[in-house]
């Protein structure tokens, strides 16, 4: 089955003619490139978050702010874990001839990591603005940034997927 050409049923005329293995290889390479971009950012953010607790100002924070910080660090740790997981997953199953399934699981882990990164960024922004300004307007600013992230990261891509694909359940959904 892995050497057979993927059937043309329901495909657009400009679609690739690939074997299942070729498609899995292509999707894996695309996913790895995406992970490289987001993984670096989340690791840098997480590294900075880990250092905050050792600064003098941290000791002067209110308990509420310390709790927000702890939640932010946990979210950053979870995001890092989810975004590194595809590498570990691939390493453990490499050579088992299950690359299509590996790509699917790695894609799901990556998407989960992106959602956790979103939560980490929002929590960190909330903490920083709350600490810097002590202004009641902070939740509204953070909500505006959250709306922007949701628009850029989810709404526009899902809109384009629906608008420009005949079937929103195309085989490449998981990559």
């Amino acid at each position: 089955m892995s050497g057979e050409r993927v059937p043309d049923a329901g495909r657009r005329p400009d679609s690739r003619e690939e074997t299942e293995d070729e498609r899995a290889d292509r999707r894996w390479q695309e996913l790895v490139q995406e992970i490289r971009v987001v993984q670096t950012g989340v690791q840098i953010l997480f590294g900075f978050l880990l250092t905050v607790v050792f600064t003098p100002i941290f000791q002067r924070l209110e308990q509420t702010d310390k709790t927000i910080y702890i939640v932010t660090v946990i979210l950053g740790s979870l995001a890092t874990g989810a975004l590194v997981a595809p590498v570990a997953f691939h390493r453990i199953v490499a050579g088992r001839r299950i690359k299509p399934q590996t790509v699917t699981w790695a894609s799901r882990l990556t998407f989960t990591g992106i959602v956790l990164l979103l939560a980490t960024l929002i929590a960190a922004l909330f903490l920083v603005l709350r600490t810097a300004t002590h202004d009641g307007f902070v939740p509204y600013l953070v909500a505006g940034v959250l709306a922007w992230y949701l628009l850029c990261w989810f709404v526009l891509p899902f809109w384009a997927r629906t608008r420009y694909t005949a079937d929103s359940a195309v085989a490449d959904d998981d990559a």
Side-chain angles (χ1 to χ4, degrees):
M1 177 177 205
S2 64
E4 297 174 14
R5 292 278 173 200
V6 176
D8 288 337
R11 304 178 103 213
R12 296 188 340 222
D14 60 341
S15 293
R16 294 175 173 89
E17 290 188 27
E18 306 171 300
T19 65
E20 184 179 0
D21 286 344
E22 289 169 338
R23 175 175 283 183
D25 288 341
R26 175 182 55 82
R27 290 172 62 199
W28 178 257
Q29 289 304 316
E30 291 170 354
L31 186 60
V32 167
Q33 291 302 322
E34 294 166 3
I35 292 170
R36 282 185 183 136
V37 171
V38 73
Q39 198 177 62
T40 302
V42 77
Q43 288 172 332
I44 291 169
L45 173 62
F46 185 55
F48 280 122
L49 285 171
L50 290 177
T51 65
V52 169
V53 74
F54 300 106
T55 63
I57 194 169
F58 181 81
Q59 303 309 319
R60 295 190 306 259
L61 290 178
E62 298 173 15
Q63 186 56 47
T64 302
D65 293 329
K66 288 180 180 179
T67 301
I68 294 168
Y69 169 77
I70 290 167
V71 168
T72 304
V73 168
I74 291 168
L75 288 168
S77 180
L78 294 172
T80 301
L83 292 167
V84 172
V87 175
F89 196 107
H90 181 265
R91 190 55 14 229
I92 290 169
V93 302
R96 304 291 178 173
R97 304 187 80 56
I98 59 169
K99 189 169 257 179
Q101 295 84 356
T102 301
V103 171
T104 297
W105 278 104
S107 179
R108 290 173 182 164
L109 287 164
T110 302
F111 189 82
T112 300
I114 290 169
V115 170
L116 288 166
L117 174 59
L118 172 65
T120 305
L121 289 169
I122 292 303
L125 180 64
F126 182 66
L127 178 61
V128 167
L129 292 179
R130 183 179 151 91
T131 303
T133 68
H134 302 288
D135 192 330
F137 200 64
V138 167
Y140 301 105
L141 290 172
V142 174
V145 172
L146 174 60
W148 177 251
Y149 284 157
L150 291 173
L151 176 69
C152 294
W153 293 8
F154 302 104
V155 174
L156 289 175
F158 280 117
W159 172 82
R161 177 174 140 172
T162 303
R163 171 74 170 85
Y164 297 112
T165 59
D167 179 12
S168 61
V170 176
D172 274 61
D173 279 353
D174 289 323

